[in-house]
Amino acid sequence: MTTMGDHLMRRSLLRSTACVAVAGAAAGVLALGAGPAAADTVSTTYNCAAGGETLQTTETITVTAPATAVQGEQITLSVTVEDGTPVTEEIPAHGVGAELDIAVGGAGSGTVVAKGLTNSTAVPAGQSVVLEGGTATLTAQGPGDVTFTPAGLRLNTLGLEVLCTPDGPVAAAATTRVTAS
């Protein structure tokens, strides 16, 4: 039998997990031989589900990508995710792991996955979780502006799997200008 206390505890863990996932999803984007890195931050509202519970949360996601790249070069993206809602209980260092899907658009296409997002330090109750260390790599396709837009977010917080999908349109978080080789 599920009690109100169980329900509130699961909801608290879900909120804490969603907050941690958002905080740690942002990472930098670099390309070999590419121009200086450029970063932009977008605010994204997600619908997150875990253990039969759902929660809407807003995450601040920063994607760092090279400003320029040459067709055929490898582009490495870095991502940081910060949750806008403080956690209700302490989260130990590396208590949250996450992956962020990034839609590739403009002169590029497809999806890449930023893996390795985590909270590198403990997060005290009442603070927001920041996930960092996530990277994704792709090859610069044809010439033109390639955009990188946050999409689905998958979190694992203290063993609880949380799946988050964007609630509505999401703005591109970074753009790289690709030139012909």
Side-chain angles (χ1 to χ4, degrees):
M1 172 185 255
T2 302
T3 68
M4 183 61 142
D6 291 337
H7 173 74
L8 291 174
M9 184 175 252
R10 277 197 316 246
R11 190 152 186 86
S12 173
L13 185 56
L14 175 59
R15 177 162 294 283
S16 294
T17 299
C19 292
V20 170
V22 171
V29 177
L30 305 173
L32 296 175
D40 201 359
T41 300
V42 296
S43 181
T44 304
T45 301
Y46 281 96
N47 291 315
C48 299
E53 300 290 330
T54 60
L55 171 72
Q56 190 171 74
T57 184
T58 300
E59 308 297 330
T60 301
I61 300 173
T62 302
V63 175
T64 304
T68 61
V70 175
Q71 184 177 358
E73 273 187 322
Q74 290 294 302
I75 296 173
T76 300
L77 304 175
S78 294
V79 178
T80 299
V81 177
E82 182 173 354
D83 187 46
T85 306
V87 295
T88 58
E89 57 189 76
E90 181 174 335
I91 303 290
H94 307 288
V96 178
E99 294 182 347
L100 176 69
D101 295 332
I102 301 171
V104 180
S109 63
T111 301
V112 295
V113 180
K115 296 182 179 183
L117 289 163
T118 191
N119 59 307
S120 59
T121 60
V123 181
Q127 299 293 314
S128 294
V129 176
V130 176
L131 300 176
E132 51 196 7
T135 61
T137 304
L138 68 150
T139 301
Q141 298 166 353
D145 289 342
V146 179
T147 59
F148 304 103
T149 305
L153 179 62
R154 289 171 302 287
L155 305 167
N156 182 311
T157 302
L158 305 173
L160 178 65
E161 296 291 328
V162 181
L163 301 175
C164 302
T165 56
D167 182 30
V170 179
T175 302
T176 298
R177 172 144 305 175
V178 176
T179 57
S181 53

